[in-house]
Amino acid sequence: MYDDYTSIEDYFSSEVYSTHPSDYDDHLDNVSIPAVPLPYPTESVLWYAYNVAIVAVGIVLNLVLIKGIVGAKSSGALLFVLQIAVVDVLTLRTSIWELHYHLNRTWAYPTAHCTLYSGLESFCCVATVYFIIGLNFHSIASYNLAVELAKNALTTSDAEMAAESLTDENSYEVATDTISQKRSLTIDYRYKRRRISVLFPILLVWFIAVSESVPLFLYADTVTVPVPEGDTEQHAKHYCTVLVNTLANHSIVRFMVISIRIILPTAALLITLTQTVVKFYRGKNFTQPDEIDENVAFALKLSIFLSLSYAIFSFQRLYGSLLQEILPESYVVSKYPLFGPLVGLSLATFHYSASMIDGNPNFPTE
C-alpha cells in the first residue's frame, strides 16, 4: 500500500529519516574482501639468510682457500682441492637461481638465465663428484707408492751403501775453465717415482663435466604451463627445463644422466672411500711411521673428509631430485617433485651448504 503524503516535503523527510544506519552496516559486513596471501614468510627469511650466510660467506671462504693453495707448495692433493674450490664458487652462484626458483614456484628470470642455470648446475655437480673421486684415486695411488718405496728400502741390506752407489752412478762432474775445483752434481732419479702426475685426471674431469653440460646449454629453455580455464586465482607457471622433441631423445638423455651423474659416481665414490679409509687405518698401524709420510696421510684424510661431505649433503640431491626429475616421461617436472615446497627448499639449501663447508680453510691440513 502506498503511503499518503500531503506534500513533497513530507515525502523526502519520510524517506530520509526512515533509513537506518544498521542497513549499511549489514551490507558492508556481507561484502567479502579477498585476503592477499603472504609471500611465504618462513621461506623468505630462509632465502635471505641463505644468501648472506651460505653464498656470501662460502664464496669468500673458497676465494681465501684458492689464494692459500696458489701460494702453498704444490702437491697432487692440493691441485684437486683447487679445482673443487673453483667449482664451489660457481656452484654457490648457481644456487641463487635455484633457491629463487623454489621460493616462487615458477621461473621468474629471463630465458637466458635458465640456459645458464641448467648448464652450470649440471657442470658443477659432475665436476665436483668426479674431482673428489679423482682425489681418492690419487690418495690411494700415493699410499701404494709410499708402501712400495718403504718395502724396497727395508729389503736393502745397507741403505747407506745403496744411496752412495746410486749417487756415484747418477752423478755428473761439471767442470769449467774459470773454476779449477771440480763440483759434483747429484741427480736422484728416484724423486720422480715419489710424485704422481695429476694433470691428465684433472683435464679428464673437466672434459667429462663440459661434455655432460653442453646439451643443457644448448637445449634448456623455459616452458609455460597455462592456467586451467575458469581458474582466476592462479597464474601461469614457468618451468626451466630441457626441451626434447622426441621420446627417443628423452630416453637417451635419461640414460646419460642416470649412468654418468648417478650410478657411476655413486659406485666409484663408495668404493674409493672404502679403500681410503682402510689404507688410512693401515698406515696408522705401521711399526715404522716413516713408511707413510705426512703428505700421504694428509691426502687420505682430505679424501675421507670430502667424500663423506659429498655423501651426506649431495646423495639426497641425486636420488631425491635428479632421479625423480628424469624418470617421468614429461619434461616439465619441478625440483624435488616427491616433497613439499618447504621440504624441497630445505633440501636444496642443505645440498648447496656443502660448497661452503668444502671451502672452509680449517679442513684437515698437514
Side-chain angles (χ1 to χ4, degrees), residues 352-366:
Y352 285 112
S353 299
S355 297
M356 182 193 70
I357 296 175
D358 294 344
N360 189 349
N362 295 322
F363 63 76
T365 56
E366 300 182 55

Side-chain angles (χ1 to χ4, degrees), residues 146-159:
V147 172
E148 181 183 355
L149 293 175
K151 289 181 179 179
N152 292 337
L154 291 176
T155 55
T156 304
S157 59
D158 191 351

